[in-house]
Short mmCIF file of all heavy atoms in Angstrom, two decimals:
data_model
loop_
_atom_site.label_atom_id
_atom_site.label_comp_id
_atom_site.label_asym_id
_atom_site.label_seq_id
_atom_site.Cartn_x
_atom_site.Cartn_y
_atom_site.Cartn_z
N ALA A 162 4.15 -8.31 -3.76
CA ALA A 162 4.35 -8.89 -5.03
C ALA A 162 4.01 -7.98 -6.24
O ALA A 162 3.88 -8.40 -7.27
CB ALA A 162 3.75 -10.25 -5.28
N GLY A 163 3.74 -6.74 -5.84
CA GLY A 163 3.32 -5.71 -6.92
C GLY A 163 1.98 -5.92 -7.44
O GLY A 163 1.57 -5.39 -8.57
N ALA A 164 0.94 -6.63 -6.62
CA ALA A 164 -0.32 -6.89 -7.26
C ALA A 164 -1.41 -5.99 -6.59
O ALA A 164 -2.57 -5.90 -7.11
CB ALA A 164 -0.70 -8.36 -6.90
N CYS A 165 -1.06 -5.38 -5.43
CA CYS A 165 -2.22 -4.64 -4.69
C CYS A 165 -2.06 -3.23 -4.68
O CYS A 165 -3.09 -2.44 -4.55
CB CYS A 165 -2.31 -5.20 -3.21
SG CYS A 165 -1.00 -4.71 -2.16
N GLY A 166 -0.89 -2.75 -4.85
CA GLY A 166 -0.77 -1.19 -4.97
C GLY A 166 -0.71 -0.58 -3.56
O GLY A 166 -0.51 0.74 -3.51
N ALA A 167 -0.70 -1.18 -2.50
CA ALA A 167 -0.63 -0.61 -1.13
C ALA A 167 0.62 0.22 -0.89
O ALA A 167 0.73 0.95 -0.09
CB ALA A 167 -0.88 -1.58 -0.09
N CYS A 168 1.74 -0.30 -1.60
CA CYS A 168 3.06 0.34 -1.41
C CYS A 168 3.45 1.37 -2.39
O CYS A 168 4.46 1.81 -2.59
CB CYS A 168 4.07 -0.76 -1.55
SG CYS A 168 4.26 -1.52 -3.23
N THR A 169 2.44 1.91 -3.17
CA THR A 169 2.60 2.87 -4.33
C THR A 169 3.26 4.13 -3.78
O THR A 169 2.86 4.65 -2.80
CB THR A 169 1.29 3.25 -4.95
OG1 THR A 169 0.71 2.03 -5.46
CG2 THR A 169 1.66 4.04 -6.07
N VAL A 170 4.44 4.58 -4.36
CA VAL A 170 5.05 5.92 -4.17
C VAL A 170 5.34 6.44 -5.45
O VAL A 170 5.22 5.80 -6.55
CB VAL A 170 6.40 5.65 -3.30
CG1 VAL A 170 6.11 5.00 -1.94
CG2 VAL A 170 7.45 4.93 -4.04
N LEU A 171 5.83 7.73 -5.37
CA LEU A 171 6.16 8.42 -6.62
C LEU A 171 7.72 8.44 -6.69
O LEU A 171 8.31 8.75 -5.66
CB LEU A 171 5.58 9.83 -6.74
CG LEU A 171 4.04 9.90 -6.58
CD1 LEU A 171 3.62 11.45 -6.66
CD2 LEU A 171 3.48 9.30 -7.84
N VAL A 172 8.33 8.06 -7.69
CA VAL A 172 9.80 8.17 -8.05
C VAL A 172 9.93 9.08 -9.23
O VAL A 172 9.51 8.79 -10.31
CB VAL A 172 10.45 6.90 -8.23
CG1 VAL A 172 11.79 6.99 -8.60
CG2 VAL A 172 10.32 5.99 -6.90
N ASP A 173 10.54 10.26 -8.89
CA ASP A 173 10.73 11.30 -10.02
C ASP A 173 9.33 11.57 -10.73
O ASP A 173 9.33 11.71 -11.99
CB ASP A 173 11.71 10.78 -11.05
CG ASP A 173 13.12 10.64 -10.46
OD1 ASP A 173 13.40 11.43 -9.52
OD2 ASP A 173 13.96 9.79 -10.99
N GLY A 174 8.32 11.61 -9.87
CA GLY A 174 7.02 11.92 -10.41
C GLY A 174 6.19 10.76 -10.95
O GLY A 174 4.91 11.01 -11.33
N ARG A 175 6.76 9.66 -11.06
CA ARG A 175 6.09 8.53 -11.72
C ARG A 175 5.67 7.48 -10.62
O ARG A 175 6.47 7.18 -9.72
CB ARG A 175 6.86 7.70 -12.73
CG ARG A 175 7.23 8.64 -13.95
CD ARG A 175 8.17 7.89 -14.87
NE ARG A 175 7.58 6.70 -15.31
CZ ARG A 175 8.08 5.39 -14.99
NH1 ARG A 175 9.00 5.31 -14.11
NH2 ARG A 175 7.48 4.39 -15.45
N ARG A 176 4.43 6.78 -10.79
CA ARG A 176 3.98 5.91 -9.86
C ARG A 176 4.69 4.56 -10.09
O ARG A 176 4.89 4.06 -11.14
CB ARG A 176 2.52 5.55 -10.09
CG ARG A 176 1.63 6.79 -9.81
CD ARG A 176 0.15 6.36 -9.95
NE ARG A 176 -0.17 6.35 -11.43
CZ ARG A 176 -1.29 5.97 -12.07
NH1 ARG A 176 -2.35 5.56 -11.22
NH2 ARG A 176 -1.60 5.92 -13.22
N ILE A 177 5.17 4.01 -8.79
CA ILE A 177 5.81 2.77 -8.87
C ILE A 177 5.31 1.88 -7.71
O ILE A 177 4.88 2.39 -6.57
CB ILE A 177 7.31 2.74 -8.89
CG1 ILE A 177 7.77 3.29 -7.58
CG2 ILE A 177 7.94 3.56 -10.06
CD1 ILE A 177 9.28 3.01 -7.35
N ASN A 178 5.42 0.55 -7.78
CA ASN A 178 5.33 -0.26 -6.60
C ASN A 178 6.67 -0.42 -5.92
O ASN A 178 7.59 -1.00 -6.46
CB ASN A 178 4.77 -1.74 -7.16
CG ASN A 178 3.50 -1.67 -7.71
OD1 ASN A 178 2.57 -1.05 -7.18
ND2 ASN A 178 3.10 -2.46 -8.76
N SER A 179 6.69 0.22 -4.83
CA SER A 179 8.00 0.21 -4.07
C SER A 179 8.42 -1.26 -3.68
O SER A 179 9.66 -1.43 -3.42
CB SER A 179 7.89 1.10 -2.96
OG SER A 179 6.94 0.79 -2.03
#
Side-chain angles (χ1 to χ4, degrees):
C165 72
C168 68
T169 304
V170 299
L171 301 178
V172 174
D173 296 330
R175 295 178 58 251
R176 294 179 284 174
I177 68 163
N178 292 319
S179 60

